[in-house]
Amino acid sequence: MSPMKVFGHPMLTNVARVLLFLEEVGAEYELVPVDFVAGEHKKPQHLQLNPFGKMPGFQDGDLVLFESRAIGKYIIRKYGGTAGLDLLGENSGIEGSAMVDLWTEVEAQEYYPAIAPVVFECIINPFIMGDAETNQSVVDESLVRLRGVLGIYEARLEKSSYLAGDSISFADLNHIPFTFYFMTTQYASVFDEYPKVKAWWEAIMARPAVQRVCKNMPTQFSVGMRAAF
Amino acid sequence: MSPMKVFGHPMLTNVARVLLFLEEVGAEYELVPVDFVAGEHKKPQHLQLNPFGKMPGFQDGDLVLFESRAIGKYIIRKYGGTAGLDLLGENSGIEGSAMVDLWTEVEAQEYYPAIAPVVFECIINPFIMGDAETNQSVVDESLVRLRGVLGIYEARLEKSSYLAGDSISFADLNHIPFTFYFMTTQYASVFDEYPKVKAWWEAIMARPAVQRVCKNMPTQFSVGMRAAF
């Protein structure tokens, strides 16, 4: 059987998210490059995989999926058990699943809207896109919001090692792509104010699967980088 | 055993989302009012339920949850089978779950960001909050984006009656709260341009459980309404 295929560039946050789950479960896969600077993701071939023209696309035999969080769950359901991982909390019954779902939603609804603007303003807009200056007031407002979220995380992580309980889950791993890039900015030290959060992040980053994915994500940015795609 | 408790007002979109799943599965529950104009959701009692100070809060015995989509899945996992519903697609294996997850993410990542600004600009800001005029350029840009999303939905609904397949799922039902309010605006006729989408929406609205929840959601708005909370 041919391996699963991921269409996109490993530097992109939503592509990296999918690769994280593939690496965590140890599944065989093929990464198929999509030249997004040339607009390949808006062309018919890619639109067959993702009608919204975004990355990643994903294929497993006849099954075509998009939306990185949905792809991640599919990979976990198919291979997570074999890998001895309970990333969706199912071994702890419906209460376990509920805690994973809850903190997955918190990442999407609270954490991402707080941290993403800093990454966009400090990295993606000025360097990768090369089309805008950093808007400092957006950064400052986002840091206020992020500190509010991290305070709630700190209280949560006083009760358990990971967000949904004492073992790592889908919810924790979803934080990686944007937090990884945030940690390359001058604002990384915000995390030092929250020792439980800092320890949680270090435990996540110590995972070999996470390191394999992150080694393909840059930590230095320049406008010229765009030409590399 | 005491019934599940939902803390919040049934007019609020995230509260309505939870009530929809409770009504669909036919579970017993108690709706506990939270006076959000008086800021009760920011006070210690509510923060015990939801540390982000948002609604709804949710309690089932000793289990406390927040985030409406996570609560919805918990309700479905606990009672959906008894009610003869397969809202998470699990009867169709991991491919079925993946299709529900995919279209649930599309709602959150593509549909909501397109439709919500229209509802905020036409209803929530001017009437419920009473603190801003409608920003027409935001409305116009959102309608362009919404038409793009609805075009993709139209193509999808030519292949199956509902987004994730031929039976209704969690993904479809998550569209209700914001679409319901959108349909009270002068832009409701946008849906007429997409006959499959229109038929899908009418099939959703014809469900008795949906009607029971929507009868507590207003269709006429006035600044004075704020005082009713």
Side-chain angles (χ1 to χ4, degrees):
Chain A
M1 206 173 88
S2 61
M4 292 179 278
K5 287 183 183 168
V6 181
F7 300 80
H9 192 286
M11 170 184 184
L12 299 176
T13 52
N14 288 330
V15 177
R17 189 194 310 276
V18 169
L19 300 181
L20 281 167
F21 297 111
L22 288 165
E23 289 288 346
E24 282 286 350
V25 302
E28 200 187 338
Y29 65 91
E30 182 187 345
L31 185 58
V32 184
V34 176
D35 184 345
F36 67 88
V37 172
E40 264 188 23
H41 54 307
K42 302 293 182 190
K43 292 181 182 164
Q45 194 179 355
H46 189 78
L47 292 173
Q48 294 277 324
L49 296 168
N50 182 341
F52 290 94
K54 295 184 179 173
M55 285 171 283
F58 177 86
Q59 205 169 7
D60 185 16
D62 292 336
L63 184 71
V64 169
L65 293 177
F66 52 97
E67 287 293 343
S68 60
R69 289 173 177 83
I71 298 167
K73 286 185 187 169
Y74 171 78
I75 292 163
I76 292 168
R77 289 204 179 96
K78 186 157 181 182
Y79 296 101
T82 319
L85 291 164
D86 180 34
L87 295 175
L88 298 178
E90 291 164 344
N91 293 354
S92 305
I94 60 172
E95 289 82 3
S97 299
M99 294 315 287
V100 174
D101 287 337
L102 187 167
W103 289 99
T104 299
E105 289 298 325
V106 168
E107 186 276 328
Q109 310 289 340
E110 304 287 348
Y111 186 87
Y112 171 83
I115 203 166
V118 181
V119 174
F120 274 93
E121 291 298 334
C122 296
I123 300 173
I124 298 177
N125 293 348
F127 292 116
I128 311 302
M129 303 309 292
D131 64 356
E133 298 280 305
T134 296
N135 182 332
Q136 193 59 41
S137 70
V138 170
V139 172
D140 294 343
E141 284 164 24
S142 298
L143 291 174
V144 170
R145 185 170 178 182
L146 181 61
R147 284 191 166 94
V149 173
L150 293 180
I152 291 168
Y153 276 40
E154 186 74 5
R156 171 65 194 173
L157 293 167
E158 276 166 11
K159 294 181 194 153
S160 58
S161 312
Y162 293 94
L163 289 171
D166 280 324
S167 58
I168 196 158
S169 79
F170 183 72
D172 304 296
L173 293 167
N174 271 301
H175 289 73
I176 294 173
F178 272 90
T179 311
F180 178 85
Y181 284 130
F182 179 86
M183 289 301 190
T184 71
T185 73
Q186 62 186 293
Y187 305 107
S189 60
V190 166
F191 275 64
D192 297 341
E193 301 163 23
Y194 306 92
K196 296 283 183 189
V197 175
K198 186 75 186 285
W200 164 80
W201 176 246
E202 286 171 352
I204 291 171
M205 286 304 292
R207 298 176 72 82
V210 175
Q211 290 177 3
R212 286 195 293 276
V213 175
C214 291
K215 79 175 189 315
N216 293 318
M217 299 168 75
T219 55
Q220 300 284 324
F221 305 91
S222 64
V223 177
M225 177 171 275
R226 191 177 170 184
F229 294 94
Chain B
M1 206 175 87
S2 61
M4 291 178 280
K5 286 182 185 170
V6 181
F7 299 81
H9 193 286
M11 169 183 186
L12 299 175
T13 52
N14 288 330
V15 177
R17 187 193 312 276
V18 169
L19 300 181
L20 281 166
F21 296 111
L22 288 165
E23 289 289 346
E24 282 287 350
V25 302
E28 200 186 338
Y29 66 92
E30 181 186 345
L31 184 60
V32 184
V34 176
D35 184 346
F36 66 88
V37 172
E40 265 188 23
H41 54 307
K42 301 294 182 190
K43 293 182 180 163
Q45 195 179 354
H46 189 78
L47 292 173
Q48 293 278 325
L49 296 168
N50 182 342
F52 290 94
K54 295 184 180 173
M55 287 172 281
F58 177 85
Q59 205 169 7
D60 185 16
D62 291 337
L63 183 72
V64 168
L65 294 177
F66 53 97
E67 287 293 343
S68 60
R69 289 174 178 81
I71 299 168
K73 285 185 187 168
Y74 172 78
I75 293 163
I76 292 168
R77 290 204 178 96
K78 187 158 180 181
Y79 296 102
T82 318
L85 290 164
D86 180 34
L87 295 175
L88 298 178
E90 292 164 343
N91 293 354
S92 306
I94 61 171
E95 289 82 4
S97 300
M99 295 314 288
V100 174
D101 286 339
L102 187 167
W103 289 101
T104 299
E105 290 299 326
V106 169
E107 186 276 329
Q109 310 288 341
E110 303 288 347
Y111 186 87
Y112 171 84
I115 202 167
V118 182
V119 173
F120 274 93
E121 292 297 336
C122 296
I123 299 174
I124 298 178
N125 293 348
F127 292 116
I128 311 302
M129 303 310 291
D131 64 358
E133 299 280 303
T134 296
N135 183 331
Q136 193 60 41
S137 71
V138 170
V139 171
D140 293 343
E141 284 164 24
S142 298
L143 291 175
V144 170
R145 185 170 178 181
L146 181 61
R147 283 190 168 94
V149 174
L150 293 180
I152 291 168
Y153 277 40
E154 186 74 6
R156 171 65 195 172
L157 293 168
E158 276 166 10
K159 294 182 194 151
S160 57
S161 312
Y162 293 93
L163 290 171
D166 279 324
S167 58
I168 196 159
S169 80
F170 183 71
D172 304 295
L173 293 167
N174 271 302
H175 289 72
I176 294 174
F178 272 89
T179 311
F180 178 84
Y181 285 130
F182 179 87
M183 289 301 189
T184 71
T185 73
Q186 63 187 292
Y187 305 107
S189 61
V190 166
F191 275 64
D192 297 341
E193 300 163 24
Y194 305 92
K196 296 282 184 190
V197 175
K198 186 76 188 283
W200 164 80
W201 176 246
E202 285 171 352
I204 291 171
M205 286 304 293
R207 297 176 73 83
V210 175
Q211 290 178 3
R212 287 194 293 276
V213 175
C214 291
K215 79 176 191 311
N216 293 316
M217 298 168 75
T219 55
Q220 299 285 324
F221 305 91
S222 64
V223 178
M225 178 172 274
R226 191 176 170 185
F229 293 95

